[in-house]
Amino acid sequence: MLKIIGTGRAVPDFIADNAFFERLVDTSDEWIVSRTGIKTRHILTEGSLTELAFKAAKNALDNANIKPNDLDLIICSSLQGDYITPSLACCVKSKIKATCPAFDINAACAGFIYSLNVAAGLIKSEIYNNVLIISAERLSKFVDYTDRSTCVLFGDGAGAAVVTEGNALRYINVGTEEGIELLFANSGLPQNCFTKKREQGFITMNGPEIFKFATQTVLSAIKDVGKRLSIKADDIKWFLLHQANGRIIDTIRKTLKQPQEKFPENHSKFGNTSAASIPMLMDELNREGKFKKGDLLFLSAFGGGLTKGSCVITWDK
Ligand code: ACO
């Protein structure tokens, strides 16, 4: 169906450490680190999400050694681009000077895996060959910086991957669960054309329920992989999980009785970057030369919707 031939990432320059939040709300470095593992996050204070997504895309294209003209499709996943229209994918397409179709999808934190699923279907149907996937998020736009229970968690960033025809995707499964009220942010725009009353527009989350949903999602995906591919957690070399927070990842790791080094993380530096977290992490490991040809990667994400998605990919670059 597909294989990954290039990865890229980009984060904004401004870094907010935990002391930054101690000045904003009633919190402490100790609380944030012990509950989430997050130490810093990057926030887009200047420039656009398009520029950030463009940088990640450019890095992925260079890494794949292909030109924008070789692309058949661009898929962006994001909670929201810079505009309601044009889409973020069209904005990036224009900036990299590609000529292919481009569209956005929104599957919250599971957006990268949803995008892989869409790309896999289109490549398998021989509709497109080279697909650029970008997951770019500006969560700072939706964060209420007076709400200590959410503002410390999120960061901005972009991750990208170029995929093409190949046999590396061994398993992919995306889905949804009930629970739209557990994690949401409305648009912040007036919904009523006459009153023009603005909605609040901030992220609202039931943390403990999302924690349960996250751990159950990943653990049941691992079980399903075991059934369908006859492989065990021990056979997987890298667990690239959505980087919501360290405690979720640690709970999963301990349940699976796996060593820490198989669970790389970037939430301590970048916070929860929603759909961008997995491709950003994948790019870091790729550039550090950590992946070896034939390594089995398990990717799993969960998010507002509630969306979920998991896949197993053989590293074949
Ligand atoms: N600093 C200090 N105290 C805080 C903070 C803070 N930043 N945030 C909350 N608290 C307080 C609460 O007010 C509460 O105080 P109270 O007992 O006096 O009412 C206390 O800490 C415990 O609150 P809980 O929400 O129960 O804290 P919990 O231990 O569950 O940790 C957390 C909160 C980290 C959000 C946890 O629920 C969690 O990890 N949830 C998973 C959800 C997640 O990570 N979501 C990320 C986005 S969603 C996604 O990516 C899919």
Side-chain angles (χ1 to χ4, degrees), residues 10-12 42-57 76-83 86-89 91-93 95 104-105 134-142 155-159 273-276 280:
V11 287
H42 291 236
I43 296 177
L44 193 55
T45 52
E46 277 170 32
S48 65
L49 186 60
T50 299
E51 281 159 28
L52 202 65
F54 164 73
K55 279 186 201 158
C76 271
S77 77
S78 184
L79 292 177
Q80 199 176 65
D82 292 316
Y83 305 99
S87 67
L88 185 59
C91 293
V92 175
K93 188 224 72 162
K95 233 174 141 45
D104 286 1
I105 65 170
I134 309 158
S135 296
E137 302 281 18
R138 187 175 198 166
L139 288 146
S140 56
K141 198 165 147 182
F142 313 109
D156 300 333
T273 53
S274 186
M280 280 168 59

Side-chain angles (χ1 to χ4, degrees), residues 21 25-28 31-32 35-36 38 108-110 147-154 183 203 205-214 242-248 272-274 301-304 306-307:
F21 288 92
V25 289
D26 179 15
T27 191
S28 66
W31 193 96
I32 301 170
R35 301 293 177 115
T36 71
I38 299 167
C109 306
D147 174 10
R148 69 176 182 173
S149 69
T150 53
C151 71
V152 300
L153 301 174
F154 299 100
L183 177 57
I203 291 178
M205 180 182 68
N206 180 331
E209 284 303 316
I210 293 292
F211 196 107
K212 272 190 247 161
F213 163 63
H242 170 46
Q243 301 288 303
N245 76 53
R247 276 201 312 163
I248 295 176
N272 178 349
T273 53
S274 186
F302 39 84
L306 298 168
T307 58

